[in-house]
PDB file of all heavy atoms in Angstrom:
ATOM      1  N   ASP A   1    -104.538  38.364  67.362  1.00 85.00           N
ATOM      2  CA  ASP A   1    -105.475  37.760  66.416  1.00 85.00           C
ATOM      3  C   ASP A   1    -106.333  36.693  67.092  1.00 85.00           C
ATOM      4  O   ASP A   1    -107.542  36.574  66.811  1.00 85.00           O
ATOM      5  CB  ASP A   1    -104.714  37.136  65.245  1.00 85.00           C
ATOM      6  CG  ASP A   1    -104.117  38.180  64.313  1.00 85.00           C
ATOM      7  OD1 ASP A   1    -104.549  39.347  64.380  1.00 85.00           O
ATOM      8  OD2 ASP A   1    -103.209  37.826  63.540  1.00 85.00           O
ATOM      9  N   ILE A   2    -105.727  35.920  67.992  1.00 88.00           N
ATOM     10  CA  ILE A   2    -106.478  34.881  68.701  1.00 88.00           C
ATOM     11  C   ILE A   2    -107.540  35.505  69.591  1.00 88.00           C
ATOM     12  O   ILE A   2    -108.692  35.049  69.624  1.00 88.00           O
ATOM     13  CB  ILE A   2    -105.512  34.004  69.524  1.00 88.00           C
ATOM     14  CG1 ILE A   2    -104.671  33.134  68.591  1.00 88.00           C
ATOM     15  CG2 ILE A   2    -106.281  33.121  70.511  1.00 88.00           C
ATOM     16  CD1 ILE A   2    -103.589  32.343  69.294  1.00 88.00           C
ATOM     17  N   VAL A   3    -107.181  36.561  70.326  1.00 88.00           N
ATOM     18  CA  VAL A   3    -108.146  37.245  71.188  1.00 88.00           C
ATOM     19  C   VAL A   3    -109.304  37.796  70.361  1.00 88.00           C
ATOM     20  O   VAL A   3    -110.476  37.675  70.736  1.00 88.00           O
ATOM     21  CB  VAL A   3    -107.456  38.365  71.984  1.00 88.00           C
ATOM     22  CG1 VAL A   3    -108.493  39.262  72.669  1.00 88.00           C
ATOM     23  CG2 VAL A   3    -106.518  37.780  73.027  1.00 88.00           C
ATOM     24  N   GLU A   4    -108.982  38.420  69.224  1.00 88.00           N
ATOM     25  CA  GLU A   4    -110.020  38.994  68.375  1.00 88.00           C
ATOM     26  C   GLU A   4    -110.935  37.906  67.814  1.00 88.00           C
ATOM     27  O   GLU A   4    -112.162  38.064  67.783  1.00 88.00           O
ATOM     28  CB  GLU A   4    -109.382  39.795  67.243  1.00 88.00           C
ATOM     29  CG  GLU A   4    -108.707  41.082  67.697  1.00 88.00           C
ATOM     30  CD  GLU A   4    -109.692  42.029  68.359  1.00 88.00           C
ATOM     31  OE1 GLU A   4    -110.758  42.293  67.772  1.00 88.00           O
ATOM     32  OE2 GLU A   4    -109.390  42.493  69.479  1.00 88.00           O
ATOM     33  N   LYS A   5    -110.357  36.810  67.365  1.00 92.00           N
ATOM     34  CA  LYS A   5    -111.160  35.740  66.792  1.00 92.00           C
ATOM     35  C   LYS A   5    -112.030  35.080  67.854  1.00 92.00           C
ATOM     36  O   LYS A   5    -113.221  34.815  67.626  1.00 92.00           O
ATOM     37  CB  LYS A   5    -110.253  34.686  66.146  1.00 92.00           C
ATOM     38  CG  LYS A   5    -111.035  33.560  65.466  1.00 92.00           C
ATOM     39  CD  LYS A   5    -110.106  32.548  64.808  1.00 92.00           C
ATOM     40  CE  LYS A   5    -110.902  31.428  64.140  1.00 92.00           C
ATOM     41  NZ  LYS A   5    -110.025  30.413  63.514  1.00 92.00           N
ATOM     42  N   ALA A   6    -111.460  34.819  69.022  1.00 92.00           N
ATOM     43  CA  ALA A   6    -112.228  34.166  70.093  1.00 92.00           C
ATOM     44  C   ALA A   6    -113.389  35.046  70.544  1.00 92.00           C
ATOM     45  O   ALA A   6    -114.509  34.554  70.757  1.00 92.00           O
ATOM     46  CB  ALA A   6    -111.309  33.838  71.268  1.00 92.00           C
ATOM     47  N   SER A   7    -113.146  36.339  70.706  1.00 93.00           N
ATOM     48  CA  SER A   7    -114.216  37.238  71.150  1.00 93.00           C
ATOM     49  C   SER A   7    -115.298  37.374  70.088  1.00 93.00           C
ATOM     50  O   SER A   7    -116.492  37.446  70.406  1.00 93.00           O
ATOM     51  CB  SER A   7    -113.644  38.607  71.514  1.00 93.00           C
ATOM     52  OG  SER A   7    -112.936  39.178  70.433  1.00 93.00           O
ATOM     53  N   ARG A   8    -114.893  37.401  68.821  1.00 93.00           N
ATOM     54  CA  ARG A   8    -115.891  37.495  67.744  1.00 93.00           C
ATOM     55  C   ARG A   8    -116.754  36.235  67.704  1.00 93.00           C
ATOM     56  O   ARG A   8    -117.987  36.318  67.594  1.00 93.00           O
ATOM     57  CB  ARG A   8    -115.188  37.689  66.397  1.00 93.00           C
ATOM     58  CG  ARG A   8    -116.170  37.838  65.230  1.00 93.00           C
ATOM     59  CD  ARG A   8    -115.457  38.046  63.908  1.00 93.00           C
ATOM     60  NE  ARG A   8    -114.711  36.872  63.470  1.00 93.00           N
ATOM     61  CZ  ARG A   8    -113.395  36.767  63.480  1.00 93.00           C
ATOM     62  NH1 ARG A   8    -112.647  37.770  63.911  1.00 93.00           N
ATOM     63  NH2 ARG A   8    -112.789  35.669  63.057  1.00 93.00           N
ATOM     64  N   GLU A   9    -116.123  35.061  67.820  1.00 95.00           N
ATOM     65  CA  GLU A   9    -116.885  33.818  67.795  1.00 95.00           C
ATOM     66  C   GLU A   9    -117.800  33.699  69.010  1.00 95.00           C
ATOM     67  O   GLU A   9    -118.892  33.118  68.925  1.00 95.00           O
ATOM     68  CB  GLU A   9    -115.935  32.623  67.724  1.00 95.00           C
ATOM     69  CG  GLU A   9    -115.235  32.468  66.390  1.00 95.00           C
ATOM     70  CD  GLU A   9    -114.464  31.162  66.286  1.00 95.00           C
ATOM     71  OE1 GLU A   9    -114.557  30.334  67.218  1.00 95.00           O
ATOM     72  OE2 GLU A   9    -113.767  30.967  65.263  1.00 95.00           O
ATOM     73  N   ALA A  10    -117.347  34.243  70.141  1.00 95.00           N
ATOM     74  CA  ALA A  10    -118.173  34.188  71.352  1.00 95.00           C
ATOM     75  C   ALA A  10    -119.485  34.946  71.144  1.00 95.00           C
ATOM     76  O   ALA A  10    -120.567  34.467  71.513  1.00 95.00           O
ATOM     77  CB  ALA A  10    -117.407  34.768  72.534  1.00 95.00           C
ATOM     78  N   VAL A  11    -119.389  36.124  70.550  1.00 95.00           N
ATOM     79  CA  VAL A  11    -120.592  36.925  70.316  1.00 95.00           C
ATOM     80  C   VAL A  11    -121.472  36.262  69.258  1.00 95.00           C
ATOM     81  O   VAL A  11    -122.709  36.240  69.376  1.00 95.00           O
ATOM     82  CB  VAL A  11    -120.212  38.361  69.904  1.00 95.00           C
ATOM     83  CG1 VAL A  11    -121.450  39.157  69.502  1.00 95.00           C
ATOM     84  CG2 VAL A  11    -119.486  39.057  71.050  1.00 95.00           C
ATOM     85  N   GLU A  12    -120.866  35.690  68.234  1.00 95.00           N
ATOM     86  CA  GLU A  12    -121.644  34.978  67.214  1.00 95.00           C
ATOM     87  C   GLU A  12    -122.363  33.770  67.821  1.00 95.00           C
ATOM     88  O   GLU A  12    -123.508  33.472  67.460  1.00 95.00           O
ATOM     89  CB  GLU A  12    -120.724  34.528  66.076  1.00 95.00           C
ATOM     90  CG  GLU A  12    -120.183  35.691  65.239  1.00 95.00           C
ATOM     91  CD  GLU A  12    -119.146  35.243  64.226  1.00 95.00           C
ATOM     92  OE1 GLU A  12    -118.715  34.061  64.297  1.00 95.00           O
ATOM     93  OE2 GLU A  12    -118.757  36.061  63.371  1.00 95.00           O
ATOM     94  N   TYR A  13    -121.699  33.092  68.749  1.00 95.00           N
ATOM     95  CA  TYR A  13    -122.332  31.965  69.443  1.00 95.00           C
ATOM     96  C   TYR A  13    -123.549  32.456  70.231  1.00 95.00           C
ATOM     97  O   TYR A  13    -124.625  31.849  70.192  1.00 95.00           O
ATOM     98  CB  TYR A  13    -121.317  31.312  70.368  1.00 95.00           C
ATOM     99  CG  TYR A  13    -121.876  30.346  71.383  1.00 95.00           C
ATOM    100  CD1 TYR A  13    -122.335  29.084  71.012  1.00 95.00           C
ATOM    101  CD2 TYR A  13    -121.937  30.694  72.732  1.00 95.00           C
ATOM    102  CE1 TYR A  13    -122.844  28.195  71.950  1.00 95.00           C
ATOM    103  CE2 TYR A  13    -122.432  29.815  73.674  1.00 95.00           C
ATOM    104  CZ  TYR A  13    -122.887  28.565  73.286  1.00 95.00           C
ATOM    105  OH  TYR A  13    -123.384  27.697  74.228  1.00 95.00           O
ATOM    106  N   ALA A  14    -123.388  33.583  70.932  1.00 95.00           N
ATOM    107  CA  ALA A  14    -124.497  34.121  71.716  1.00 95.00           C
ATOM    108  C   ALA A  14    -125.659  34.535  70.817  1.00 95.00           C
ATOM    109  O   ALA A  14    -126.837  34.343  71.168  1.00 95.00           O
ATOM    110  CB  ALA A  14    -124.016  35.322  72.540  1.00 95.00           C
ATOM    111  N   GLU A  15    -125.339  35.075  69.642  1.00 95.00           N
ATOM    112  CA  GLU A  15    -126.388  35.522  68.728  1.00 95.00           C
ATOM    113  C   GLU A  15    -127.206  34.366  68.165  1.00 95.00           C
ATOM    114  O   GLU A  15    -128.300  34.592  67.639  1.00 95.00           O
ATOM    115  CB  GLU A  15    -125.765  36.316  67.578  1.00 95.00           C
ATOM    116  CG  GLU A  15    -125.251  37.687  67.979  1.00 95.00           C
ATOM    117  CD  GLU A  15    -124.610  38.429  66.815  1.00 95.00           C
ATOM    118  OE1 GLU A  15    -123.803  37.804  66.088  1.00 95.00           O
ATOM    119  OE2 GLU A  15    -124.916  39.622  66.636  1.00 95.00           O
ATOM    120  N   SER A  16    -126.706  33.146  68.283  1.00 94.00           N
ATOM    121  CA  SER A  16    -127.439  31.997  67.753  1.00 94.00           C
ATOM    122  C   SER A  16    -128.607  31.592  68.647  1.00 94.00           C
ATOM    123  O   SER A  16    -129.406  30.725  68.260  1.00 94.00           O
ATOM    124  CB  SER A  16    -126.498  30.801  67.563  1.00 94.00           C
ATOM    125  OG  SER A  16    -126.039  30.303  68.815  1.00 94.00           O
ATOM    126  N   PHE A  17    -128.715  32.208  69.837  1.00 94.00           N
ATOM    127  CA  PHE A  17    -129.799  31.898  70.768  1.00 94.00           C
ATOM    128  C   PHE A  17    -130.788  33.068  70.831  1.00 94.00           C
ATOM    129  O   PHE A  17    -130.436  34.221  70.573  1.00 94.00           O
ATOM    130  CB  PHE A  17    -129.253  31.613  72.165  1.00 94.00           C
ATOM    131  CG  PHE A  17    -128.372  30.395  72.229  1.00 94.00           C
ATOM    132  CD1 PHE A  17    -126.998  30.511  72.087  1.00 94.00           C
ATOM    133  CD2 PHE A  17    -128.921  29.138  72.412  1.00 94.00           C
ATOM    134  CE1 PHE A  17    -126.177  29.395  72.128  1.00 94.00           C
ATOM    135  CE2 PHE A  17    -128.113  28.008  72.456  1.00 94.00           C
ATOM    136  CZ  PHE A  17    -126.738  28.136  72.314  1.00 94.00           C
ATOM    137  N   GLU A  18    -131.993  32.765  71.215  1.00 92.00           N
ATOM    138  CA  GLU A  18    -133.032  33.785  71.339  1.00 92.00           C
ATOM    139  C   GLU A  18    -132.863  34.550  72.650  1.00 92.00           C
ATOM    140  O   GLU A  18    -132.628  33.963  73.706  1.00 92.00           O
ATOM    141  CB  GLU A  18    -134.412  33.129  71.287  1.00 92.00           C
ATOM    142  CG  GLU A  18    -135.559  34.116  71.279  1.00 92.00           C
ATOM    143  CD  GLU A  18    -136.911  33.435  71.132  1.00 92.00           C
ATOM    144  OE1 GLU A  18    -136.927  32.199  70.970  1.00 92.00           O
ATOM    145  OE2 GLU A  18    -137.930  34.148  71.179  1.00 92.00           O
ATOM    146  N   ASP A  19    -132.964  35.871  72.573  1.00 92.00           N
ATOM    147  CA  ASP A  19    -132.863  36.751  73.749  1.00 92.00           C
ATOM    148  C   ASP A  19    -131.630  36.445  74.602  1.00 92.00           C
ATOM    149  O   ASP A  19    -131.728  36.161  75.808  1.00 92.00           O
ATOM    150  CB  ASP A  19    -134.120  36.628  74.618  1.00 92.00           C
ATOM    151  CG  ASP A  19    -135.363  37.118  73.900  1.00 92.00           C
ATOM    152  OD1 ASP A  19    -135.234  38.045  73.073  1.00 92.00           O
ATOM    153  OD2 ASP A  19    -136.457  36.576  74.163  1.00 92.00           O
ATOM    154  N   PRO A  20    -130.433  36.502  74.037  1.00 94.00           N
ATOM    155  CA  PRO A  20    -129.232  36.147  74.809  1.00 94.00           C
ATOM    156  C   PRO A  20    -128.786  37.240  75.776  1.00 94.00           C
ATOM    157  O   PRO A  20    -128.994  38.432  75.535  1.00 94.00           O
ATOM    158  CB  PRO A  20    -128.185  35.955  73.701  1.00 94.00           C
ATOM    159  CG  PRO A  20    -128.602  36.921  72.626  1.00 94.00           C
ATOM    160  CD  PRO A  20    -130.114  36.903  72.648  1.00 94.00           C
ATOM    161  N   VAL A  21    -128.191  36.816  76.857  1.00 94.00           N
ATOM    162  CA  VAL A  21    -127.462  37.686  77.783  1.00 94.00           C
ATOM    163  C   VAL A  21    -126.120  37.020  78.046  1.00 94.00           C
ATOM    164  O   VAL A  21    -126.078  35.857  78.469  1.00 94.00           O
ATOM    165  CB  VAL A  21    -128.209  37.893  79.114  1.00 94.00           C
ATOM    166  CG1 VAL A  21    -127.329  38.644  80.104  1.00 94.00           C
ATOM    167  CG2 VAL A  21    -129.493  38.668  78.891  1.00 94.00           C
ATOM    168  N   ILE A  22    -125.042  37.716  77.764  1.00 95.00           N
ATOM    169  CA  ILE A  22    -123.711  37.167  78.008  1.00 95.00           C
ATOM    170  C   ILE A  22    -123.322  37.419  79.462  1.00 95.00           C
ATOM    171  O   ILE A  22    -123.468  38.536  79.971  1.00 95.00           O
ATOM    172  CB  ILE A  22    -122.679  37.806  77.060  1.00 95.00           C
ATOM    173  CG1 ILE A  22    -122.916  37.303  75.633  1.00 95.00           C
ATOM    174  CG2 ILE A  22    -121.254  37.504  77.504  1.00 95.00           C
ATOM    175  CD1 ILE A  22    -122.001  37.922  74.594  1.00 95.00           C
ATOM    176  N   VAL A  23    -122.838  36.379  80.130  1.00 94.00           N
ATOM    177  CA  VAL A  23    -122.454  36.478  81.533  1.00 94.00           C
ATOM    178  C   VAL A  23    -120.957  36.182  81.656  1.00 94.00           C
ATOM    179  O   VAL A  23    -120.486  35.138  81.204  1.00 94.00           O
ATOM    180  CB  VAL A  23    -123.260  35.500  82.417  1.00 94.00           C
ATOM    181  CG1 VAL A  23    -123.007  35.795  83.891  1.00 94.00           C
ATOM    182  CG2 VAL A  23    -124.749  35.586  82.100  1.00 94.00           C
ATOM    183  N   LEU A  24    -120.226  37.102  82.276  1.00 91.00           N
ATOM    184  CA  LEU A  24    -118.781  36.977  82.443  1.00 91.00           C
ATOM    185  C   LEU A  24    -118.408  37.075  83.905  1.00 91.00           C
ATOM    186  O   LEU A  24    -119.182  37.576  84.733  1.00 91.00           O
ATOM    187  CB  LEU A  24    -118.066  38.088  81.655  1.00 91.00           C
ATOM    188  CG  LEU A  24    -118.344  38.152  80.157  1.00 91.00           C
ATOM    189  CD1 LEU A  24    -117.807  39.462  79.583  1.00 91.00           C
ATOM    190  CD2 LEU A  24    -117.717  36.970  79.442  1.00 91.00           C
ATOM    191  N   GLU A  25    -117.221  36.613  84.215  1.00 87.00           N
ATOM    192  CA  GLU A  25    -116.729  36.715  85.588  1.00 87.00           C
ATOM    193  C   GLU A  25    -116.255  38.139  85.865  1.00 87.00           C
ATOM    194  O   GLU A  25    -115.610  38.763  85.023  1.00 87.00           O
ATOM    195  CB  GLU A  25    -115.583  35.734  85.819  1.00 87.00           C
ATOM    196  CG  GLU A  25    -116.019  34.286  85.777  1.00 87.00           C
ATOM    197  CD  GLU A  25    -114.850  33.337  85.978  1.00 87.00           C
ATOM    198  OE1 GLU A  25    -113.777  33.580  85.401  1.00 87.00           O
ATOM    199  OE2 GLU A  25    -115.014  32.359  86.730  1.00 87.00           O
ATOM    200  N   ASP A  26    -116.574  38.638  87.034  1.00 82.00           N
ATOM    201  CA  ASP A  26    -116.107  39.953  87.462  1.00 82.00           C
ATOM    202  C   ASP A  26    -114.660  39.815  87.930  1.00 82.00           C
ATOM    203  O   ASP A  26    -114.392  39.266  89.001  1.00 82.00           O
ATOM    204  CB  ASP A  26    -116.992  40.468  88.597  1.00 82.00           C
ATOM    205  CG  ASP A  26    -116.655  41.894  89.003  1.00 82.00           C
ATOM    206  OD1 ASP A  26    -115.559  42.371  88.633  1.00 82.00           O
ATOM    207  OD2 ASP A  26    -117.468  42.520  89.692  1.00 82.00           O
ATOM    208  N   LEU A  27    -113.721  40.318  87.143  1.00 67.00           N
ATOM    209  CA  LEU A  27    -112.304  40.103  87.431  1.00 67.00           C
ATOM    210  C   LEU A  27    -111.830  40.867  88.659  1.00 67.00           C
ATOM    211  O   LEU A  27    -110.754  40.586  89.170  1.00 67.00           O
ATOM    212  CB  LEU A  27    -111.460  40.494  86.219  1.00 67.00           C
ATOM    213  CG  LEU A  27    -111.705  39.659  84.961  1.00 67.00           C
ATOM    214  CD1 LEU A  27    -110.772  40.083  83.851  1.00 67.00           C
ATOM    215  CD2 LEU A  27    -111.514  38.186  85.250  1.00 67.00           C
ATOM    216  N   SER A  28    -112.618  41.825  89.127  1.00 62.00           N
ATOM    217  CA  SER A  28    -112.188  42.539  90.336  1.00 62.00           C
ATOM    218  C   SER A  28    -112.136  41.594  91.524  1.00 62.00           C
ATOM    219  O   SER A  28    -111.343  41.770  92.443  1.00 62.00           O
ATOM    220  CB  SER A  28    -113.137  43.701  90.640  1.00 62.00           C
ATOM    221  OG  SER A  28    -114.447  43.234  90.929  1.00 62.00           O
ATOM    222  N   TYR A  29    -112.983  40.547  91.518  1.00 56.00           N
ATOM    223  CA  TYR A  29    -112.923  39.555  92.589  1.00 56.00           C
ATOM    224  C   TYR A  29    -111.615  38.779  92.523  1.00 56.00           C
ATOM    225  O   TYR A  29    -111.015  38.442  93.540  1.00 56.00           O
ATOM    226  CB  TYR A  29    -114.098  38.578  92.482  1.00 56.00           C
ATOM    227  CG  TYR A  29    -115.405  39.143  92.934  1.00 56.00           C
ATOM    228  CD1 TYR A  29    -116.326  39.640  92.014  1.00 56.00           C
ATOM    229  CD2 TYR A  29    -115.730  39.185  94.282  1.00 56.00           C
ATOM    230  CE1 TYR A  29    -117.539  40.157  92.422  1.00 56.00           C
ATOM    231  CE2 TYR A  29    -116.945  39.705  94.712  1.00 56.00           C
ATOM    232  CZ  TYR A  29    -117.840  40.185  93.775  1.00 56.00           C
ATOM    233  OH  TYR A  29    -119.038  40.707  94.191  1.00 56.00           O
ATOM    234  N   ILE A  30    -111.168  38.481  91.299  1.00 52.00           N
ATOM    235  CA  ILE A  30    -109.925  37.745  91.147  1.00 52.00           C
ATOM    236  C   ILE A  30    -108.756  38.571  91.655  1.00 52.00           C
ATOM    237  O   ILE A  30    -107.876  38.090  92.358  1.00 52.00           O
ATOM    238  CB  ILE A  30    -109.716  37.360  89.668  1.00 52.00           C
ATOM    239  CG1 ILE A  30    -110.775  36.331  89.254  1.00 52.00           C
ATOM    240  CG2 ILE A  30    -108.317  36.801  89.434  1.00 52.00           C
ATOM    241  CD1 ILE A  30    -110.690  35.911  87.800  1.00 52.00           C
ATOM    242  N   ARG A  31    -108.743  39.869  91.309  1.00 48.00           N
ATOM    243  CA  ARG A  31    -107.616  40.713  91.680  1.00 48.00           C
ATOM    244  C   ARG A  31    -107.616  41.028  93.167  1.00 48.00           C
ATOM    245  O   ARG A  31    -106.585  41.092  93.806  1.00 48.00           O
ATOM    246  CB  ARG A  31    -107.673  42.035  90.894  1.00 48.00           C
ATOM    247  CG  ARG A  31    -107.466  41.870  89.401  1.00 48.00           C
ATOM    248  CD  ARG A  31    -107.219  43.231  88.768  1.00 48.00           C
ATOM    249  NE  ARG A  31    -107.155  43.147  87.318  1.00 48.00           N
ATOM    250  CZ  ARG A  31    -108.125  43.533  86.501  1.00 48.00           C
ATOM    251  NH1 ARG A  31    -109.234  44.033  87.001  1.00 48.00           N
ATOM    252  NH2 ARG A  31    -107.992  43.434  85.206  1.00 48.00           N
ATOM    253  N   GLU A  32    -108.813  41.260  93.741  1.00 46.00           N
ATOM    254  CA  GLU A  32    -108.883  41.795  95.090  1.00 46.00           C
ATOM    255  C   GLU A  32    -109.099  40.744  96.173  1.00 46.00           C
ATOM    256  O   GLU A  32    -108.599  40.874  97.281  1.00 46.00           O
ATOM    257  CB  GLU A  32    -110.016  42.829  95.162  1.00 46.00           C
ATOM    258  CG  GLU A  32    -109.787  44.031  94.246  1.00 46.00           C
ATOM    259  CD  GLU A  32    -111.010  44.919  94.159  1.00 46.00           C
ATOM    260  OE1 GLU A  32    -111.964  44.665  94.928  1.00 46.00           O
ATOM    261  OE2 GLU A  32    -111.018  45.844  93.336  1.00 46.00           O
ATOM    262  N   ASN A  33    -109.851  39.697  95.858  1.00 44.00           N
ATOM    263  CA  ASN A  33    -110.286  38.791  96.909  1.00 44.00           C
ATOM    264  C   ASN A  33    -109.588  37.444  96.930  1.00 44.00           C
ATOM    265  O   ASN A  33    -109.618  36.759  97.936  1.00 44.00           O
ATOM    266  CB  ASN A  33    -111.802  38.537  96.781  1.00 44.00           C
ATOM    267  CG  ASN A  33    -112.593  39.810  97.029  1.00 44.00           C
ATOM    268  OD1 ASN A  33    -112.054  40.782  97.536  1.00 44.00           O
ATOM    269  ND2 ASN A  33    -113.857  39.802  96.668  1.00 44.00           N
ATOM    270  N   LEU A  34    -109.006  37.059  95.822  1.00 43.00           N
ATOM    271  CA  LEU A  34    -108.397  35.740  95.758  1.00 43.00           C
ATOM    272  C   LEU A  34    -106.893  35.856  95.634  1.00 43.00           C
ATOM    273  O   LEU A  34    -106.388  36.628  94.821  1.00 43.00           O
ATOM    274  CB  LEU A  34    -108.951  34.951  94.570  1.00 43.00           C
ATOM    275  CG  LEU A  34    -110.472  34.720  94.568  1.00 43.00           C
ATOM    276  CD1 LEU A  34    -110.863  33.906  93.353  1.00 43.00           C
ATOM    277  CD2 LEU A  34    -110.927  34.028  95.840  1.00 43.00           C
ATOM    278  N   ASP A  35    -106.178  35.106  96.409  1.00 46.00           N
ATOM    279  CA  ASP A  35    -104.726  35.118  96.362  1.00 46.00           C
ATOM    280  C   ASP A  35    -104.252  33.829  95.706  1.00 46.00           C
ATOM    281  O   ASP A  35    -104.245  32.773  96.320  1.00 46.00           O
ATOM    282  CB  ASP A  35    -104.139  35.249  97.769  1.00 46.00           C
ATOM    283  CG  ASP A  35    -102.612  35.312  97.732  1.00 46.00           C
ATOM    284  OD1 ASP A  35    -102.055  35.496  96.631  1.00 46.00           O
ATOM    285  OD2 ASP A  35    -102.005  35.175  98.800  1.00 46.00           O
ATOM    286  N   TYR A  36    -103.860  33.911  94.445  1.00 45.00           N
ATOM    287  CA  TYR A  36    -103.404  32.745  93.727  1.00 45.00           C
ATOM    288  C   TYR A  36    -101.901  32.520  93.899  1.00 45.00           C
ATOM    289  O   TYR A  36    -101.359  31.551  93.415  1.00 45.00           O
ATOM    290  CB  TYR A  36    -103.695  32.907  92.231  1.00 45.00           C
ATOM    291  CG  TYR A  36    -105.154  32.736  91.877  1.00 45.00           C
ATOM    292  CD1 TYR A  36    -105.943  33.853  91.621  1.00 45.00           C
ATOM    293  CD2 TYR A  36    -105.727  31.483  91.781  1.00 45.00           C
ATOM    294  CE1 TYR A  36    -107.283  33.698  91.281  1.00 45.00           C
ATOM    295  CE2 TYR A  36    -107.057  31.324  91.442  1.00 45.00           C
ATOM    296  CZ  TYR A  36    -107.827  32.439  91.194  1.00 45.00           C
ATOM    297  OH  TYR A  36    -109.143  32.293  90.855  1.00 45.00           O
ATOM    298  N   GLY A  37    -101.220  33.457  94.543  1.00 48.00           N
ATOM    299  CA  GLY A  37     -99.782  33.354  94.656  1.00 48.00           C
ATOM    300  C   GLY A  37     -99.087  33.998  93.470  1.00 48.00           C
ATOM    301  O   GLY A  37     -99.694  34.310  92.454  1.00 48.00           O
ATOM    302  N   LYS A  38     -97.788  34.188  93.603  1.00 48.00           N
ATOM    303  CA  LYS A  38     -97.018  34.911  92.589  1.00 48.00           C
ATOM    304  C   LYS A  38     -97.093  34.240  91.231  1.00 48.00           C
ATOM    305  O   LYS A  38     -97.298  34.902  90.209  1.00 48.00           O
ATOM    306  CB  LYS A  38     -95.562  35.011  93.057  1.00 48.00           C
ATOM    307  CG  LYS A  38     -94.658  35.785  92.113  1.00 48.00           C
ATOM    308  CD  LYS A  38     -93.267  35.874  92.699  1.00 48.00           C
ATOM    309  CE  LYS A  38     -92.328  36.614  91.759  1.00 48.00           C
ATOM    310  NZ  LYS A  38     -90.949  36.699  92.316  1.00 48.00           N
ATOM    311  N   TYR A  39     -96.946  32.923  91.188  1.00 43.00           N
ATOM    312  CA  TYR A  39     -96.948  32.217  89.906  1.00 43.00           C
ATOM    313  C   TYR A  39     -98.294  32.349  89.213  1.00 43.00           C
ATOM    314  O   TYR A  39     -98.370  32.687  88.029  1.00 43.00           O
ATOM    315  CB  TYR A  39     -96.606  30.741  90.111  1.00 43.00           C
ATOM    316  CG  TYR A  39     -96.870  29.914  88.881  1.00 43.00           C
ATOM    317  CD1 TYR A  39     -96.012  29.979  87.782  1.00 43.00           C
ATOM    318  CD2 TYR A  39     -97.985  29.085  88.800  1.00 43.00           C
ATOM    319  CE1 TYR A  39     -96.254  29.228  86.638  1.00 43.00           C
ATOM    320  CE2 TYR A  39     -98.240  28.346  87.662  1.00 43.00           C
ATOM    321  CZ  TYR A  39     -97.362  28.415  86.599  1.00 43.00           C
ATOM    322  OH  TYR A  39     -97.615  27.689  85.471  1.00 43.00           O
TER     323      TYR A  39
END
């Protein structure tokens, strides 16, 4: 429910601006290029 609510509010926030483009982090960089350690 939290994920659904947060994602819905995120899109509603973006819609409040003119000509919006949502920009997200490419998670493949996190998985492949960065070593955060086991924890």
Side-chain angles (χ1 to χ4, degrees):
D1 288 343
I2 289 174
V3 169
E4 290 300 310
K5 183 179 180 181
S7 57
R8 182 179 68 252
E9 289 189 5
V11 173
E12 291 173 350
Y13 167 73
E15 288 179 314
S16 68
F17 296 93
E18 185 176 356
D19 295 328
V21 172
I22 289 177
V23 190
L24 302 168
E25 292 179 318
D26 186 344
L27 297 183
S28 63
Y29 284 98
I30 292 178
R31 294 193 186 104
E32 298 171 8
N33 295 346
L34 301 181
D35 182 13
Y36 286 103
K38 182 178 179 181
Y39 168 75

